[in-house]
Amino acid sequence: EDKVVQSPLSLVVHEGDTVTLNCSYEVTNFRSLLWYKQEKKAPTFLFMLTSSGIEKKSGRLSSILDKKELFSILNITATQTGDSAVYLCALRPLRGSNYKLTFGKGTLLTVNP
Amino acid sequence: ETGVTQTPRHLVMGMTNKKSLKCEQHLGHNAMYWYKQSAKKPLELMFVYSLEERVENNSVPSRFSPECPNSSHLFLHLHTLQPEDSALYLCASSQDGAVGGSPYEQYFGPGTRLTVT
């Protein structure tokens, strides 16, 4: 079973702080790694990463993949209370199902005013 | 609000009841998914339908029965559930890679919080 491990499991910061969320995995070959933000209930898509070393950026959020060291990070700069959510990392394996995403348990981020 | 809706949002049922969860997507996608999210566990894929055909069934007990009558609607029929089935059930949709688009950008609904008593 492909394994996705996210750290930390939870994090509390103050508005304006910068945070780095980690996602590590055990499979060496995979198609893509995805990041989702889950507020209340529905996860919303953030980024899909397929190539090592290429940063994806959207506003204050950015993410990068390191295929050699088998991890990805999600950075959030100048955090706001609206960034409070569970951030999920998911992996699409190279072999097997064309549809399956293997999710980590998520990182619960709380941004206090 | 996303383009994927789910009803009901909350459901409490006894172990002998039969109920159904409904999902509808308004995004023109042709693949739909059911996920289970239990406390402190990762999202688990249950079923996938692509072009109204079931393409994934991840060893889900037969007390969960999916139905996909068309590409916009997905149901999960529930009967004789167990208390350990209590969880958040999420529906998602995506384009199917075989007909263009990435199936990995899945768009989720708000979920149904199910409690089995």
Side-chain angles (χ1 to χ4, degrees):
Chain A
E1 179 84 22
D2 303 320
K3 196 171 178 187
V4 177
V5 178
Q6 292 187 245
S7 63
L9 288 181
S10 65
L11 185 58
V12 180
V13 300
H14 291 288
E15 269 191 317
D17 288 350
T18 293
V19 298
T20 299
L21 309 182
N22 300 286
C23 175
S24 64
Y25 47 88
E26 296 181 352
V27 58
T28 53
N29 290 308
F30 62 94
R31 295 183 193 271
S32 55
L33 184 145
L34 292 86
W35 283 96
Y36 283 84
K37 176 184 181 183
Q38 187 173 20
E39 297 173 89
K40 296 182 183 177
K41 289 187 177 177
T44 53
F45 173 78
L46 294 176
F47 298 112
M48 181 170 68
L49 304 160
T50 55
S51 301
S52 198
I54 297 176
E55 185 184 49
K56 291 272 181 103
K57 198 169 170 65
S58 175
R60 296 176 294 102
L61 277 67
S62 63
S63 184
I64 198 161
L65 178 64
D66 187 326
K67 282 190 170 184
K68 185 179 175 186
E69 299 298 330
L70 307 183
F71 75 92
S72 173
I73 58 171
L74 175 68
N75 273 323
I76 308 175
T77 58
T79 52
Q80 302 170 357
T81 54
D83 295 326
S84 297
V86 175
Y87 290 84
L88 299 169
C89 173
L91 202 68
R92 179 195 166 201
L94 185 64
R95 291 187 177 80
S97 168
N98 203 30
Y99 299 89
K100 185 173 182 177
L101 293 177
T102 300
F103 282 84
K105 292 183 179 180
T107 293
L108 172 61
L109 174 65
T110 303
V111 181
N112 290 325
Chain B
E1 193 71 27
T2 69
V4 181
T5 58
Q6 289 186 243
T7 56
R9 297 291 294 270
H10 299 271
L11 177 63
V12 179
M13 60 186 287
M15 288 191 283
T16 58
N17 291 157
K18 287 185 182 181
K19 296 285 184 185
S20 295
L21 309 185
K22 180 182 175 183
C23 175
E24 185 173 357
Q25 60 95 2
H26 313 275
L27 301 169
H29 290 160
N30 45 35
M32 295 187 77
Y33 310 73
W34 279 117
Y35 284 89
K36 176 183 178 182
Q37 189 173 36
S38 305
K40 302 194 188 301
K41 291 177 74 175
L43 271 166
E44 300 170 62
L45 181 65
M46 299 174 73
F47 301 103
V48 182
Y49 277 80
S50 176
L51 302 172
E52 297 150 46
E53 281 194 34
R54 193 188 310 179
V55 295
E56 284 281 330
N57 179 349
N58 278 352
S59 304
V60 180
S62 59
R63 57 186 184 268
F64 295 91
S65 174
E67 179 191 0
C68 187
N70 55 62
S71 60
S72 299
H73 293 87
L74 185 66
F75 295 90
L76 188 62
H77 303 300
L78 316 170
H79 64 98
T80 58
L81 294 191
Q82 304 298 311
E84 60 264 29
D85 296 323
S86 298
L88 180 68
Y89 288 85
L90 290 162
C91 173
S93 71
S94 74
Q95 279 294 6
D96 185 288
V99 290
S102 167
Y104 316 108
E105 291 181 31
Q106 296 176 18
Y107 295 82
F108 285 82
T112 295
R113 173 68 63 188
L114 174 68
T115 304
V116 181
T117 59

